[in-house]
């Protein structure tokens, strides 16, 4: 019906079933061929994902304030380790006990969480190809 109340000559809109039957079927294809290599079993996929990342990150330890200075300042640490490993490593190098205060900062800016992955920190905060870790015995930055 038109707005004047008289019947209109327009046909009613098609129903959902009618619209689906009149539409063309659309298929998508990818331009990339499927890999022709051997298919991996689920056990092989799990085993490949469990392999440790053997890449290394150069960490430069820089003392701040009255913290003892390391004789060697550059170390290579496995990139897949958590930052907690860096904290434990530095404590061991300095001869600090777990009760001794030690504060670590990346690029003199922030203190990362102990569960942060070293490779993520390196990707975000590397300076000249190394991760700069500042350490001190009292809080220095936020």
């Amino acid at each position: 019906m038109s707005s004047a109340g008289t019947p209109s000559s327009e046909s009613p809109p098609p129903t959902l079933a009618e619209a689906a039957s009149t539409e063309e079927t659309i298929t998508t294809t990818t331009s990339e061929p499927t890999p022709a290599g051997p298919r991996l079993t689920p056990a092989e996929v799990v085993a490949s994902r469990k392999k440790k990342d053997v890449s290394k990150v150069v960490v430069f330890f820089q003392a701040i304030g009255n913290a003892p200075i390391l004789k060697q300042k550059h170390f290579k640490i496995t990139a897949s380790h958590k930052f907690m490993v860096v904290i434990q490593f530095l404590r061991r190098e300095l001869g600090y006990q777990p009760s001794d205060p030690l504060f670590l900062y990346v690029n003199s800016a922030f203190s990362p969480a102990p569960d942060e992955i070293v490779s993520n920190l390196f990707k975000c905060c590397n300076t000249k190809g190394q991760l700069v870790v500042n350490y001190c015995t009292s809080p220095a930055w936020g």
Side-chain angles (χ1 to χ4, degrees), residues 49-72:
R49 301 238 173 141
K50 284 186 176 179
K51 290 181 183 176
K52 289 285 185 180
D53 183 14
V54 294
S55 61
K56 301 281 186 170
V57 170
V58 176
V59 179
F60 174 66
F61 291 107
Q62 186 173 17
I64 299 170
N66 62 349
I69 299 172
L70 294 172
K71 290 180 182 177
Q72 180 183 349

PDB file of all heavy atoms in Angstrom, residues 49-72:
ATOM      1  N   ARG A  49      56.864 -27.499  18.579  1.00  0.00           N
ATOM      2  CA  ARG A  49      56.564 -26.290  19.354  1.00  0.00           C
ATOM      3  C   ARG A  49      57.238 -26.303  20.715  1.00  0.00           C
ATOM      4  O   ARG A  49      57.415 -25.258  21.318  1.00  0.00           O
ATOM      5  CB  ARG A  49      55.058 -26.145  19.529  1.00  0.00           C
ATOM      6  CG  ARG A  49      54.345 -26.068  18.207  1.00  0.00           C
ATOM      7  CD  ARG A  49      53.575 -24.840  18.059  1.00  0.00           C
ATOM      8  NE  ARG A  49      53.057 -24.753  16.700  1.00  0.00           N
ATOM      9  CZ  ARG A  49      51.886 -24.308  16.398  1.00  0.00           C
ATOM     10  NH1 ARG A  49      51.092 -23.899  17.342  1.00  0.00           N
ATOM     11  NH2 ARG A  49      51.502 -24.256  15.154  1.00  0.00           N
ATOM     12  N   LYS A  50      57.592 -27.477  21.216  1.00  0.00           N
ATOM     13  CA  LYS A  50      58.233 -27.581  22.523  1.00  0.00           C
ATOM     14  C   LYS A  50      59.733 -27.292  22.454  1.00  0.00           C
ATOM     15  O   LYS A  50      60.364 -27.142  23.479  1.00  0.00           O
ATOM     16  CB  LYS A  50      58.022 -28.960  23.122  1.00  0.00           C
ATOM     17  CG  LYS A  50      56.637 -29.168  23.680  1.00  0.00           C
ATOM     18  CD  LYS A  50      56.536 -30.489  24.394  1.00  0.00           C
ATOM     19  CE  LYS A  50      55.179 -30.658  25.033  1.00  0.00           C
ATOM     20  NZ  LYS A  50      55.051 -31.944  25.718  1.00  0.00           N
ATOM     21  N   LYS A  51      60.293 -27.225  21.247  1.00  0.00           N
ATOM     22  CA  LYS A  51      61.713 -26.967  21.114  1.00  0.00           C
ATOM     23  C   LYS A  51      62.032 -25.589  21.661  1.00  0.00           C
ATOM     24  O   LYS A  51      61.323 -24.622  21.422  1.00  0.00           O
ATOM     25  CB  LYS A  51      62.155 -27.053  19.652  1.00  0.00           C
ATOM     26  CG  LYS A  51      62.124 -28.450  19.104  1.00  0.00           C
ATOM     27  CD  LYS A  51      62.580 -28.470  17.675  1.00  0.00           C
ATOM     28  CE  LYS A  51      62.489 -29.859  17.097  1.00  0.00           C
ATOM     29  NZ  LYS A  51      62.827 -29.888  15.678  1.00  0.00           N
ATOM     30  N   LYS A  52      63.126 -25.511  22.387  1.00  0.00           N
ATOM     31  CA  LYS A  52      63.548 -24.248  22.982  1.00  0.00           C
ATOM     32  C   LYS A  52      64.122 -23.326  21.902  1.00  0.00           C
ATOM     33  O   LYS A  52      64.743 -23.769  20.957  1.00  0.00           O
ATOM     34  CB  LYS A  52      64.620 -24.477  24.049  1.00  0.00           C
ATOM     35  CG  LYS A  52      64.095 -25.122  25.292  1.00  0.00           C
ATOM     36  CD  LYS A  52      63.327 -24.122  26.107  1.00  0.00           C
ATOM     37  CE  LYS A  52      62.900 -24.724  27.425  1.00  0.00           C
ATOM     38  NZ  LYS A  52      62.175 -23.815  28.234  1.00  0.00           N
ATOM     39  N   ASP A  53      63.874 -22.053  22.097  1.00  0.00           N
ATOM     40  CA  ASP A  53      64.448 -21.046  21.217  1.00  0.00           C
ATOM     41  C   ASP A  53      65.907 -20.888  21.624  1.00  0.00           C
ATOM     42  O   ASP A  53      66.213 -20.544  22.766  1.00  0.00           O
ATOM     43  CB  ASP A  53      63.691 -19.725  21.378  1.00  0.00           C
ATOM     44  CG  ASP A  53      64.191 -18.644  20.445  1.00  0.00           C
ATOM     45  OD1 ASP A  53      64.938 -18.976  19.498  1.00  0.00           O
ATOM     46  OD2 ASP A  53      63.834 -17.482  20.658  1.00  0.00           O
ATOM     47  N   VAL A  54      66.809 -21.146  20.710  1.00  0.00           N
ATOM     48  CA  VAL A  54      68.231 -21.095  21.031  1.00  0.00           C
ATOM     49  C   VAL A  54      68.856 -19.744  20.689  1.00  0.00           C
ATOM     50  O   VAL A  54      70.047 -19.560  20.873  1.00  0.00           O
ATOM     51  CB  VAL A  54      69.009 -22.223  20.327  1.00  0.00           C
ATOM     52  CG1 VAL A  54      68.589 -23.586  20.868  1.00  0.00           C
ATOM     53  CG2 VAL A  54      68.822 -22.158  18.834  1.00  0.00           C
ATOM     54  N   SER A  55      68.058 -18.797  20.209  1.00  0.00           N
ATOM     55  CA  SER A  55      68.621 -17.490  19.890  1.00  0.00           C
ATOM     56  C   SER A  55      69.008 -16.778  21.183  1.00  0.00           C
ATOM     57  O   SER A  55      68.418 -16.983  22.235  1.00  0.00           O
ATOM     58  CB  SER A  55      67.626 -16.655  19.083  1.00  0.00           C
ATOM     59  OG  SER A  55      66.458 -16.435  19.824  1.00  0.00           O
ATOM     60  N   LYS A  56      70.024 -15.949  21.069  1.00  0.00           N
ATOM     61  CA  LYS A  56      70.566 -15.259  22.233  1.00  0.00           C
ATOM     62  C   LYS A  56      70.353 -13.761  22.106  1.00  0.00           C
ATOM     63  O   LYS A  56      70.250 -13.223  21.013  1.00  0.00           O
ATOM     64  CB  LYS A  56      72.066 -15.537  22.379  1.00  0.00           C
ATOM     65  CG  LYS A  56      72.442 -16.989  22.517  1.00  0.00           C
ATOM     66  CD  LYS A  56      72.213 -17.457  23.909  1.00  0.00           C
ATOM     67  CE  LYS A  56      72.736 -18.887  24.067  1.00  0.00           C
ATOM     68  NZ  LYS A  56      72.753 -19.304  25.436  1.00  0.00           N
ATOM     69  N   VAL A  57      70.297 -13.093  23.259  1.00  0.00           N
ATOM     70  CA  VAL A  57      70.164 -11.645  23.333  1.00  0.00           C
ATOM     71  C   VAL A  57      71.355 -11.128  24.132  1.00  0.00           C
ATOM     72  O   VAL A  57      71.690 -11.682  25.187  1.00  0.00           O
ATOM     73  CB  VAL A  57      68.846 -11.255  24.036  1.00  0.00           C
ATOM     74  CG1 VAL A  57      68.801  -9.771  24.335  1.00  0.00           C
ATOM     75  CG2 VAL A  57      67.659 -11.656  23.192  1.00  0.00           C
ATOM     76  N   VAL A  58      71.998 -10.080  23.634  1.00  0.00           N
ATOM     77  CA  VAL A  58      73.100  -9.467  24.368  1.00  0.00           C
ATOM     78  C   VAL A  58      72.513  -8.519  25.397  1.00  0.00           C
ATOM     79  O   VAL A  58      71.744  -7.619  25.070  1.00  0.00           O
ATOM     80  CB  VAL A  58      74.052  -8.706  23.416  1.00  0.00           C
ATOM     81  CG1 VAL A  58      75.143  -7.994  24.205  1.00  0.00           C
ATOM     82  CG2 VAL A  58      74.651  -9.651  22.400  1.00  0.00           C
ATOM     83  N   VAL A  59      72.866  -8.746  26.663  1.00  0.00           N
ATOM     84  CA  VAL A  59      72.387  -7.909  27.764  1.00  0.00           C
ATOM     85  C   VAL A  59      73.570  -7.132  28.309  1.00  0.00           C
ATOM     86  O   VAL A  59      74.625  -7.707  28.608  1.00  0.00           O
ATOM     87  CB  VAL A  59      71.735  -8.762  28.869  1.00  0.00           C
ATOM     88  CG1 VAL A  59      71.272  -7.885  30.016  1.00  0.00           C
ATOM     89  CG2 VAL A  59      70.567  -9.552  28.318  1.00  0.00           C
ATOM     90  N   PHE A  60      73.400  -5.822  28.420  1.00  0.00           N
ATOM     91  CA  PHE A  60      74.431  -4.938  28.952  1.00  0.00           C
ATOM     92  C   PHE A  60      73.985  -4.472  30.330  1.00  0.00           C
ATOM     93  O   PHE A  60      72.975  -3.797  30.457  1.00  0.00           O
ATOM     94  CB  PHE A  60      74.644  -3.750  28.015  1.00  0.00           C
ATOM     95  CG  PHE A  60      75.580  -2.707  28.549  1.00  0.00           C
ATOM     96  CD1 PHE A  60      76.923  -2.990  28.736  1.00  0.00           C
ATOM     97  CD2 PHE A  60      75.124  -1.437  28.863  1.00  0.00           C
ATOM     98  CE1 PHE A  60      77.783  -2.036  29.231  1.00  0.00           C
ATOM     99  CE2 PHE A  60      75.976  -0.471  29.351  1.00  0.00           C
ATOM    100  CZ  PHE A  60      77.315  -0.768  29.540  1.00  0.00           C
ATOM    101  N   PHE A  61      74.721  -4.876  31.366  1.00  0.00           N
ATOM    102  CA  PHE A  61      74.393  -4.488  32.739  1.00  0.00           C
ATOM    103  C   PHE A  61      75.147  -3.221  33.096  1.00  0.00           C
ATOM    104  O   PHE A  61      76.375  -3.161  32.974  1.00  0.00           O
ATOM    105  CB  PHE A  61      74.758  -5.608  33.723  1.00  0.00           C
ATOM    106  CG  PHE A  61      73.886  -6.815  33.603  1.00  0.00           C
ATOM    107  CD1 PHE A  61      74.358  -7.981  33.036  1.00  0.00           C
ATOM    108  CD2 PHE A  61      72.583  -6.791  34.061  1.00  0.00           C
ATOM    109  CE1 PHE A  61      73.562  -9.109  32.933  1.00  0.00           C
ATOM    110  CE2 PHE A  61      71.762  -7.910  33.960  1.00  0.00           C
ATOM    111  CZ  PHE A  61      72.260  -9.067  33.403  1.00  0.00           C
ATOM    112  N   GLN A  62      74.416  -2.224  33.552  1.00  0.00           N
ATOM    113  CA  GLN A  62      75.009  -0.947  33.913  1.00  0.00           C
ATOM    114  C   GLN A  62      74.640  -0.622  35.359  1.00  0.00           C
ATOM    115  O   GLN A  62      73.464  -0.546  35.703  1.00  0.00           O
ATOM    116  CB  GLN A  62      74.509   0.145  32.973  1.00  0.00           C
ATOM    117  CG  GLN A  62      75.174   1.471  33.167  1.00  0.00           C
ATOM    118  CD  GLN A  62      74.761   2.457  32.085  1.00  0.00           C
ATOM    119  OE1 GLN A  62      73.768   2.261  31.399  1.00  0.00           O
ATOM    120  NE2 GLN A  62      75.539   3.506  31.944  1.00  0.00           N
ATOM    121  N   ALA A  63      75.667  -0.422  36.199  1.00  0.00           N
ATOM    122  CA  ALA A  63      75.443  -0.117  37.610  1.00  0.00           C
ATOM    123  C   ALA A  63      74.994   1.325  37.780  1.00  0.00           C
ATOM    124  O   ALA A  63      75.416   2.219  37.036  1.00  0.00           O
ATOM    125  CB  ALA A  63      76.720  -0.356  38.405  1.00  0.00           C
ATOM    126  N   ILE A  64      74.130   1.542  38.766  1.00  0.00           N
ATOM    127  CA  ILE A  64      73.626   2.886  39.079  1.00  0.00           C
ATOM    128  C   ILE A  64      73.849   3.116  40.568  1.00  0.00           C
ATOM    129  O   ILE A  64      73.633   2.220  41.386  1.00  0.00           O
ATOM    130  CB  ILE A  64      72.126   3.011  38.765  1.00  0.00           C
ATOM    131  CG1 ILE A  64      71.881   2.768  37.291  1.00  0.00           C
ATOM    132  CG2 ILE A  64      71.594   4.368  39.165  1.00  0.00           C
ATOM    133  CD1 ILE A  64      70.429   2.648  36.951  1.00  0.00           C
ATOM    134  N   GLY A  65      74.234   4.326  40.920  1.00  0.00           N
ATOM    135  CA  GLY A  65      74.395   4.691  42.330  1.00  0.00           C
ATOM    136  C   GLY A  65      75.516   3.908  42.979  1.00  0.00           C
ATOM    137  O   GLY A  65      76.617   3.790  42.438  1.00  0.00           O
ATOM    138  N   ASN A  66      75.250   3.340  44.149  1.00  0.00           N
ATOM    139  CA  ASN A  66      76.290   2.636  44.905  1.00  0.00           C
ATOM    140  C   ASN A  66      76.308   1.135  44.642  1.00  0.00           C
ATOM    141  O   ASN A  66      76.885   0.386  45.421  1.00  0.00           O
ATOM    142  CB  ASN A  66      76.121   2.926  46.398  1.00  0.00           C
ATOM    143  CG  ASN A  66      74.797   2.427  46.933  1.00  0.00           C
ATOM    144  OD1 ASN A  66      73.918   2.041  46.172  1.00  0.00           O
ATOM    145  ND2 ASN A  66      74.654   2.450  48.250  1.00  0.00           N
ATOM    146  N   ALA A  67      75.690   0.664  43.569  1.00  0.00           N
ATOM    147  CA  ALA A  67      75.693  -0.761  43.234  1.00  0.00           C
ATOM    148  C   ALA A  67      77.091  -1.171  42.780  1.00  0.00           C
ATOM    149  O   ALA A  67      77.802  -0.408  42.116  1.00  0.00           O
ATOM    150  CB  ALA A  67      74.685  -1.046  42.133  1.00  0.00           C
ATOM    151  N   PRO A  68      77.512  -2.374  43.135  1.00  0.00           N
ATOM    152  CA  PRO A  68      78.840  -2.828  42.700  1.00  0.00           C
ATOM    153  C   PRO A  68      78.898  -2.979  41.178  1.00  0.00           C
ATOM    154  O   PRO A  68      77.922  -3.371  40.539  1.00  0.00           O
ATOM    155  CB  PRO A  68      79.008  -4.175  43.398  1.00  0.00           C
ATOM    156  CG  PRO A  68      77.652  -4.584  43.820  1.00  0.00           C
ATOM    157  CD  PRO A  68      76.828  -3.356  43.955  1.00  0.00           C
ATOM    158  N   ILE A  69      80.046  -2.647  40.606  1.00  0.00           N
ATOM    159  CA  ILE A  69      80.224  -2.697  39.151  1.00  0.00           C
ATOM    160  C   ILE A  69      80.755  -4.076  38.758  1.00  0.00           C
ATOM    161  O   ILE A  69      81.682  -4.599  39.390  1.00  0.00           O
ATOM    162  CB  ILE A  69      81.195  -1.595  38.698  1.00  0.00           C
ATOM    163  CG1 ILE A  69      80.616  -0.228  39.067  1.00  0.00           C
ATOM    164  CG2 ILE A  69      81.460  -1.684  37.203  1.00  0.00           C
ATOM    165  CD1 ILE A  69      81.574   0.929  38.835  1.00  0.00           C
ATOM    166  N   LEU A  70      80.176  -4.647  37.741  1.00  0.00           N
ATOM    167  CA  LEU A  70      80.630  -5.939  37.225  1.00  0.00           C
ATOM    168  C   LEU A  70      81.913  -5.765  36.412  1.00  0.00           C
ATOM    169  O   LEU A  70      82.081  -4.763  35.715  1.00  0.00           O
ATOM    170  CB  LEU A  70      79.553  -6.562  36.338  1.00  0.00           C
ATOM    171  CG  LEU A  70      78.250  -6.970  37.012  1.00  0.00           C
ATOM    172  CD1 LEU A  70      77.227  -7.375  35.958  1.00  0.00           C
ATOM    173  CD2 LEU A  70      78.488  -8.115  37.974  1.00  0.00           C
ATOM    174  N   LYS A  71      82.800  -6.742  36.480  1.00  0.00           N
ATOM    175  CA  LYS A  71      84.015  -6.691  35.658  1.00  0.00           C
ATOM    176  C   LYS A  71      83.657  -6.883  34.189  1.00  0.00           C
ATOM    177  O   LYS A  71      84.186  -6.202  33.325  1.00  0.00           O
ATOM    178  CB  LYS A  71      84.999  -7.768  36.104  1.00  0.00           C
ATOM    179  CG  LYS A  71      85.605  -7.491  37.454  1.00  0.00           C
ATOM    180  CD  LYS A  71      86.567  -8.579  37.864  1.00  0.00           C
ATOM    181  CE  LYS A  71      87.104  -8.279  39.248  1.00  0.00           C
ATOM    182  NZ  LYS A  71      87.991  -9.350  39.721  1.00  0.00           N
ATOM    183  N   GLN A  72      82.782  -7.816  33.929  1.00  0.00           N
ATOM    184  CA  GLN A  72      82.280  -8.033  32.575  1.00  0.00           C
ATOM    185  C   GLN A  72      80.845  -7.529  32.552  1.00  0.00           C
ATOM    186  O   GLN A  72      80.031  -7.929  33.374  1.00  0.00           O
ATOM    187  CB  GLN A  72      82.326  -9.512  32.207  1.00  0.00           C
ATOM    188  CG  GLN A  72      81.807  -9.773  30.818  1.00  0.00           C
ATOM    189  CD  GLN A  72      81.778 -11.254  30.484  1.00  0.00           C
ATOM    190  OE1 GLN A  72      82.331 -12.069  31.210  1.00  0.00           O
ATOM    191  NE2 GLN A  72      81.128 -11.583  29.387  1.00  0.00           N
TER     192      GLN A  72
END
